[in-house]
Amino acid sequence: MKFKASLNITLRPSILDPQGSAVLKSLKSLNYTAVESVRIGKFMEVVVEAADASAAEKMVRDLCQVLLTNPVMEDYTLTLTEV
Amino acid sequence: MNFAVILFPGSNCEVDCVHVIKEVLQEPVTTVWHKDTDLSQFDAVILPGGFSYGDYLRCGAIARFSPIMDAVIAHAKAGKPVLGICNGFQILTECGLLPGVLLRNQSLQFICEDRFIRVENNQTMYTSLYTKNQVLRIPIAHAEGNYYADPETIAALEAENRVVFRYCDAQGNPTPESNPNGAINNIAGIINEEGNVLGMMPHPERLSEVILGGDDGLALFQSMLKTWRNQL
């Protein structure tokens, strides 16, 4: 079976996001005064072949641990759908 | 002292490193392609600056899985010198030989200019020919040099004297204004617990000859050589 993993990778809350701050400033200068905060991250779609959903999730979490994210600075959320 | 300079696809400071080792330090040096797997003939390994794998995913994240990296890690675990400069430092943090990570500069800008750093620890194999608190003028050239680690790691680095270089002003004061990238505690370079793996964002190889505007970086390579000779 094929599964598509959608990964939202964000900087950990303790880490400043200068890119997000710059975008926030820009929005404020456009008079969007209600905007409180902007954090910028990455989005990835990874398609894997696996026996079932739990095997697919295990594999993708492995990929995240080894290469796709750096746990020192990043967190991620994972959504899995069958394709 | 036989040096290896590792060439990754996208490295761009390897020629400067080779030049300094060969022409200024006058020691044997070989450029080693990242697909090679053997470093057994070398006494020291340098991971040069540049943009390995185009900085894709994260700086150094893909280079750390290059075939040569197993040999680099084995070389480090054997207690032999591994020096990571700029992108080399980023690779060393990604592969876990050094703690922490290099984040995007706080200014979001790529900064290429001379800066001052202070020698915090001159009891290492890389800094023995400097004096403690010596101020060096040295080029930096990076967009991701903002050193970050969790508070426990920073506390350990400081307590164990493993912050080797700190950004400072011309008088040697590590002020917020002299910090080019937002690095915690103005950290510019750190060393591992065993004292043989050094990572630094500034480029000593770019300032090792007076004709190029200064030679504040040369004593780093001379210190490595002196330590190695003393061990023979």
Side-chain angles (χ1 to χ4, degrees):
Chain A
M1 297 165 79
K2 268 194 184 24
F3 294 90
K4 184 171 81 185
S6 301
L7 296 166
N8 268 307
I9 301 170
T10 49
L11 284 173
R12 294 178 60 174
S14 58
I15 291 183
L16 286 175
D17 174 17
Q19 219 182 151
S21 312
V23 171
L24 175 64
K25 257 188 216 160
S26 171
L27 290 172
K28 296 246 187 217
S29 74
L30 293 168
N31 277 330
Y32 291 102
T33 49
V35 182
E36 280 181 18
S37 141
V38 179
R39 303 278 289 172
I40 293 178
K42 295 178 200 168
F43 176 74
M44 291 183 200
E45 287 179 340
V46 182
V47 176
V48 297
E49 178 82 48
D52 55 38
S54 94
E57 174 169 347
K58 190 178 172 301
M59 187 192 311
V60 174
R61 292 206 182 274
D62 226 40
L63 304 181
C64 286
Q65 178 66 31
V66 172
L67 176 63
L68 300 183
T69 73
N70 181 339
V72 177
M73 60 169 173
E74 292 166 331
D75 290 329
Y76 68 93
T77 57
L78 159 62
T79 317
L80 208 61
T81 47
E82 202 183 323
V83 289
Chain B
M1 185 176 194
N2 200 2
F3 284 81
V5 177
I6 312 296
L7 176 59
F8 298 94
S11 299
N12 65 9
C13 300
E14 77 285 358
V15 178
D16 308 56
C17 290
V18 166
H19 169 80
V20 169
I21 304 296
K22 191 173 159 195
E23 307 295 339
V24 187
L25 205 62
Q26 303 203 327
E27 291 294 312
V29 56
T30 306
T31 305
V32 177
W33 181 233
H34 76 116
K35 286 198 169 164
D36 289 347
T37 53
D38 182 18
L39 291 168
S40 53
Q41 59 172 308
F42 298 104
D43 303 303
V45 172
I46 299 178
L47 305 184
F51 302 85
S52 58
Y53 292 90
D55 280 350
Y56 293 168
L57 191 62
R58 297 178 306 276
C59 306
I62 300 180
R64 71 155 284 200
F65 291 107
S66 273
I68 195 66
M69 285 308 292
D70 283 342
V72 171
I73 290 167
H75 184 93
K77 299 286 180 205
K80 295 183 199 168
V82 175
L83 167 63
I85 301 167
C86 199
N87 188 224
F89 184 11
Q90 294 163 341
I91 296 169
L92 289 175
T93 60
E94 279 285 342
C95 77
L97 283 175
L98 290 173
V101 67
L102 284 312
L103 300 172
R104 191 78 181 269
N105 294 346
Q106 229 155 56
S107 65
L108 297 173
Q109 286 170 329
F110 186 98
I111 305 168
C112 182
E113 58 192 23
D114 284 3
R115 283 290 180 150
F116 295 103
I117 57 173
R118 190 172 78 181
V119 178
E120 300 289 304
N121 178 352
N122 70 339
Q123 307 290 309
T124 79
M125 65 166 78
Y126 299 95
T127 53
S128 57
L129 291 173
Y130 293 111
T131 54
K132 188 171 161 54
N133 295 329
Q134 187 175 338
V135 175
L136 318 179
R137 184 176 60 84
I138 195 161
I140 60 167
H142 59 249
E144 284 89 4
N146 175 357
Y147 184 77
Y148 172 86
D150 59 63
E152 297 75 38
T153 305
I154 296 291
L157 288 172
E158 296 286 358
E160 294 160 15
N161 219 359
R162 288 166 53 199
V163 175
V164 178
F165 300 111
R166 219 184 286 278
Y167 298 108
C168 63
D169 62 19
Q171 286 72 44
N173 307 302
T175 57
E177 298 73 36
S178 61
N179 184 339
N181 49 34
I184 293 183
N185 294 3
N186 285 35
I187 290 172
I190 58 167
I191 200 160
N192 66 340
E193 256 179 275
E194 293 74 17
N196 65 310
V197 179
L198 175 76
M200 61 191 298
M201 289 312 297
H203 287 274
E205 81 283 10
R206 290 193 193 176
L207 215 62
S208 288
E209 289 164 284
V210 173
I211 195 172
L212 295 180
D215 59 358
D216 282 358
L218 181 59
L220 186 141
F221 300 102
Q222 291 171 327
S223 298
M224 292 174 76
L225 182 58
K226 185 182 169 213
T227 307
W228 179 77
R229 283 193 175 140
N230 288 345
Q231 284 168 348
L232 289 183

